[in-house]
Amino acid sequence: MAELLLRAENLEKVYGSGDTATHALKGVSFELAEGEFASIVGQSGSGKSTLLNMLGLLDTPTSGMIAYRGQDVSALAKPAQARLRNSLVGFVFQFHHLLPEFSVLENVLMPALIGGKPQVEAKQLAEETLALLGLEGLEDKGANQLSGGQKQRVAIARALMNRPALLLADEPTGNLDTTNTEQVYKLFRQVSAETGTAFLIVTHDRNVAQQTDRILEVLDGELVQDVRNDYAGAPAR
Amino acid sequence: MLPLRIALRFLKTSRVQSTLIIAGIAVGIAVQIFVGSLITSLQDSLVQQTIGSTSQVTITALDEGEPFVVDARVRNVAESDARVKPGAIAPTLSVNGLYSNGNESTPLALKGGDLKSLDAISSISKRITAGVARLGRGDILIGTDFAEKFTLSPGDSIRITFSGNKTRTLTIAGIFDLGSAAVNARQAFVNAEVPRSLLGWRTDEYAALEAQLLQPFDSAEVAATWRQQLPNLRVVEWQAQNADLLTALQSQGSSSYMIQAFVLIAVALGIASTLAISAVQKTRQIGILKAMGMGDAEAGRIFLWQAALLGVGGTLSGLALGFFLLWGFSFAGASFTITPKPTFIAFSAAVGIIVALLSSIIPIRKTSALDPIEVIQGG
Ligand SMILES: Nc1ncnc2c1ncn2[C@@H]1O[C@H](COP(=O)(O)OP(=O)(O)OP(=O)(O)O)[C@@H](O)[C@H]1O
Ligand SMILES: [Mg+2]
């Protein structure tokens, strides 16, 4: 068994207060190993995004604990959390969230520059990452001059730029057609194999979930199922 | 460095907005420089015209019009004061006369002294427009306006009547222009012997000891010092004689400060609103950058840099525009020239940049406080 990467303990999230309070998460606990390739499924409104945002330190849990590699990060100060977001995790969202003012290369470079990596080193890494996602030749294009599929691949390249230990993806193919969707998941698999990055992918698509090694199911803010999926990697139906 | 890079890119991608605000700052700073320099130069010119060629601190007898002895002690008080323009001390005698050409007459104030010391106060020699600067016993130097009114030229003899029906006939040696119509029409210079003989004073007796200062506005303090040292004499500073002018200068100065202050407030509001709009427009981008791990302070610095770049760009353009306006003014045919003071220019530039930086406070606060989750959830 690989080393433990992430431990979530009794995560709760309550939005608002009083009569209008929404109990989005009601005590979620699970562990994730380094390099694991897992998915989170569940109905709309079940709390998947809430969980993912908290794991990525974008949102703070109302109670509970998150630990990365044995270190409790939920109590860290904001600047320290920001640094961890930069170095430890990568995000891919349903919407690509690229910076329209910058070129493809600059968008991919951004996490490295925020992390303070030297320009030359960062540029080489960005080129490698773009190549990994089959985006060679698009470096100097504006982020707005790409197709939907290309944009999402650039967003993935950006998320992988700092070689995070964990890539969090929230419906990353929600805006893509079937062909592009398949391409993205093939890339995820490939990157996971090549870089050892762990993946946690939120999806409502059972077919997509079936291709991951582990499926976590959230229902009404609770983790109701956590199954190992031995069919993953089997030829697609 | 990253915030600067992002700031530059944000400014570049909203080119119209950036250009407009730089133009706004530029106009503000240019107006500030132009109005400020105009008023200061106008005031300098007024002061220069009024007191530049007259005595700024004058020592007389306690009863004005009576003679007093200008001895070594009195001279020393003026000469040893470092605030006095070196050499600009002149003992003078004055007498009022009347000139008439038959059908028209006009009063004429004759000031007597030796040319060298009169020059030290009024620079007459340099301001001779016709004839020569010479003050022999029979010579008189008259002003341009007086000469024009009575169509007189060097070499002409004029007869002047004094009280007690005494008269003197003097020859015009030269005609001066001291820069003020009143002086040019009423003032004349003669050899000290002319008033002395009319008044019947001894050779060491004078009506006044005139002095000019390095800094004209020091005159009240200088006069106060001298008053203590010379209790038996009267010491008068030019401010006391020109209270009206001082009031005018003061109100002119304060209205100029008002204009400048309001222009700067308008500029500040302009930059502040532009930056605030820019911060709102870039909310999504800031949220994304923060989601990727950019710190709050670093994100705020993007707008500090934007403000600094706009401020510096606008101020430099404003300096250029201001100097262009001043250059254009030099063709307007005004009676004085505008000489912008380097310290004032530096002050205006500093004000422009500081105002820009201050107006970034609100957008910086907004940016620092933005929670990336708002942007990510909003889609
Ligand atoms: N900012 C918020 N304020 C109040 N309630 C919220 C907020 N964000 C989410 N919720 C509520 O929390 C619950 C979980 O939302 P969440 O976005 O995690 O669902 P989800 O599983 O990602 O759904 P979907 O599949 O539609 O994206 C929902 O009931 C939602 O209405
Ligand atoms: Mg969701």
Side-chain angles (χ1 to χ4, degrees):
Chain A
M1 182 81 197
E3 301 263 320
L4 190 66
L5 170 63
L6 163 72
R7 192 156 60 90
E9 222 170 73
N10 219 3
L11 285 182
E12 289 200 40
K13 181 70 183 181
V14 184
Y15 287 111
S17 60
D19 289 347
T20 56
T22 312
H23 219 121
L25 283 184
K26 302 169 182 165
V28 172
S29 304
F30 73 100
E31 292 181 347
L32 195 75
E34 302 266 5
E36 228 180 320
F37 199 79
S39 60
I40 301 176
V41 295
Q43 287 171 349
S44 180
S46 55
K48 307 183 293 293
S49 297
T50 304
L51 176 59
L52 208 69
N53 290 338
M54 283 190 314
L55 296 178
L57 304 179
L58 274 177
D59 208 351
T60 27
T62 310
S63 68
M65 194 270 302
I66 298 165
Y68 275 97
R69 292 173 173 160
Q71 189 202 358
D72 182 355
V73 297
S74 35
L76 286 178
K78 272 181 88 181
Q81 290 200 339
R83 276 197 294 279
L84 279 183
R85 274 207 302 277
N86 181 255
S87 59
L88 196 66
V89 294
F91 287 101
V92 181
F93 303 98
Q94 179 171 357
F95 192 70
H96 58 79
H97 284 316
L98 294 179
L99 300 170
E101 292 87 354
F102 292 87
S103 71
V104 166
L105 181 65
E106 289 166 327
N107 264 283
V108 174
L109 270 173
M110 204 55 81
L113 298 182
I114 291 173
K117 194 170 269 216
Q119 183 89 22
V120 180
E121 204 179 310
K123 200 160 170 195
Q124 197 184 339
L125 196 57
E127 301 277 6
E128 275 172 32
T129 313
L130 283 167
L132 187 67
L133 290 151
L135 292 163
E136 303 102 320
L138 295 180
E139 288 89 346
D140 296 326
K141 277 216 167 190
N144 272 341
Q145 298 171 299
L146 303 175
S147 74
Q150 287 171 330
K151 279 181 192 164
Q152 199 59 329
R153 273 187 289 157
V154 173
I156 294 166
R158 185 178 65 181
L160 290 169
M161 179 63 192
N162 282 353
R163 299 293 180 263
L166 173 63
L167 191 130
L168 299 166
D170 195 349
E171 309 262 13
T173 54
N175 281 333
L176 299 182
D177 61 18
T178 336
T179 325
N180 271 308
T181 301
E182 287 203 354
Q183 223 185 345
V184 165
Y185 286 110
K186 246 167 66 191
L187 272 170
F188 278 179
R189 268 292 185 191
Q190 184 196 336
V191 169
S192 164
E194 285 180 26
T195 62
T197 304
F199 278 71
L200 201 50
I201 306 161
V202 166
T203 177
H204 60 267
D205 186 341
R206 285 268 162 193
N207 281 334
V208 167
Q210 284 304 330
Q211 296 176 43
T212 62
D213 299 337
R214 180 179 166 194
I215 305 171
L216 297 141
E217 187 175 343
V218 181
L219 181 66
D220 265 346
E222 285 178 278
L223 194 59
V224 291
Q225 231 187 36
D226 183 355
V227 293
R228 187 142 298 285
N229 176 27
D230 295 326
Y231 300 102
R237 280 165 291 171
Chain B
M1 266 343 254
L2 186 59
L4 171 59
R5 245 175 98 175
I6 296 173
L8 270 172
R9 184 61 59 87
F10 280 178
L11 290 177
K12 230 169 96 183
T13 46
S14 29
R15 200 168 281 136
V16 177
Q17 217 172 56
S18 309
T19 312
L20 281 178
I21 192 61
I22 285 181
I25 302 171
V27 169
I29 295 300
V31 167
Q32 145 110 3
I33 287 175
F34 182 75
V35 170
S37 301
L38 177 81
I39 298 292
T40 337
S41 298
L42 179 63
Q43 297 199 335
D44 283 354
S45 138
L46 271 176
V47 169
Q48 196 55 36
Q49 250 180 42
T50 315
I51 55 158
S53 47
T54 63
S55 174
Q56 291 164 0
V57 181
T58 311
I59 302 173
T60 65
L62 282 177
D63 289 323
E64 224 180 334
E66 292 298 306
F68 74 101
V69 178
V70 177
D71 54 16
R73 194 177 68 87
V74 176
R75 254 183 184 284
N76 192 46
V77 166
E79 269 165 5
S80 63
D81 196 317
R83 293 167 291 187
V84 172
K85 209 190 273 177
I89 295 166
T92 60
L93 300 114
S94 298
V95 64
N96 290 322
L98 197 70
Y99 170 74
S100 171
N101 69 347
N103 43 35
E104 232 185 321
S105 62
T106 192
L108 200 57
L110 301 194
K111 185 171 278 186
D114 72 279
L115 185 63
K116 217 179 116 214
S117 43
L118 288 176
D119 259 350
I121 301 287
S122 309
S123 314
I124 311 165
S125 298
K126 277 195 214 137
R127 301 171 185 213
I128 293 290
T129 58
V132 292
R134 189 187 64 215
L135 282 183
R137 292 209 171 191
D139 290 329
I140 183 167
L141 299 172
I142 59 169
T144 46
D145 292 64
F146 182 78
E148 253 166 53
K149 186 171 172 192
F150 296 102
T151 49
L152 297 167
S153 40
D156 292 349
S157 285
I158 55 173
R159 213 168 76 108
I160 302 167
T161 315
F162 301 92
S163 67
N165 258 338
K166 296 175 196 163
T167 61
R168 291 287 186 278
T169 303
L170 299 160
T171 310
I172 297 169
I175 297 171
F176 59 79
D177 177 6
L178 291 190
S180 150
V183 171
N184 290 343
R186 306 235 183 286
Q187 182 83 60
F189 295 97
V190 291
N191 189 290
E193 268 316 310
V194 177
R196 190 174 287 145
S197 63
L198 285 163
L199 296 164
W201 291 358
R202 298 197 326 252
T203 48
D204 57 352
E205 288 178 334
Y206 287 91
L209 184 66
E210 304 188 353
Q212 272 208 336
L213 305 181
L214 292 167
Q215 301 292 331
F217 283 90
D218 284 346
S219 71
E221 287 170 35
V222 172
T225 322
W226 293 4
R227 235 168 255 139
Q228 284 189 337
Q229 293 171 300
L230 303 167
N232 296 322
L233 294 172
R234 222 165 90 99
V235 184
V236 184
E237 69 271 23
W238 70 269
Q239 275 113 317
Q241 295 165 321
N242 292 279
D244 287 355
L245 174 73
L246 279 176
T247 317
L249 290 182
Q250 250 162 25
S251 45
Q252 202 178 46
S254 42
S255 63
S256 142
Y257 292 138
M258 288 260 278
I259 295 174
Q260 292 177 44
F262 280 117
V263 166
L264 288 178
I265 290 171
V267 168
L269 291 177
I271 311 174
S273 64
T274 310
L275 283 180
I277 291 169
S278 168
V280 170
Q281 284 172 337
K282 304 297 182 195
T283 303
R284 216 172 69 78
Q285 284 85 328
I286 300 295
I288 295 164
L289 287 165
K290 284 193 174 183
M292 289 192 285
M294 180 175 274
D296 292 348
E298 204 175 11
R301 245 176 283 145
I302 294 173
F303 289 93
L304 186 67
W305 275 116
Q306 284 202 36
L309 291 168
L310 290 172
V312 169
T315 299
L316 289 181
S317 320
L319 290 181
L321 184 60
F323 277 108
F324 177 75
L325 287 178
L326 291 177
W327 176 75
F329 183 82
S330 67
F331 298 104
S335 62
F336 62 101
T337 51
I338 300 185
T339 23
K341 293 202 168 81
T343 46
F344 179 69
I345 301 295
F347 167 78
S348 301
V351 163
I353 293 165
I354 289 168
V355 160
L357 291 180
L358 284 182
S359 48
S360 68
I361 288 177
I362 296 171
I364 286 174
R365 283 213 178 142
K366 245 189 159 124
T367 306
S368 297
L370 178 74
D371 193 340
I373 191 74
E374 292 167 30
V375 172
I376 301 304
Q377 274 193 333

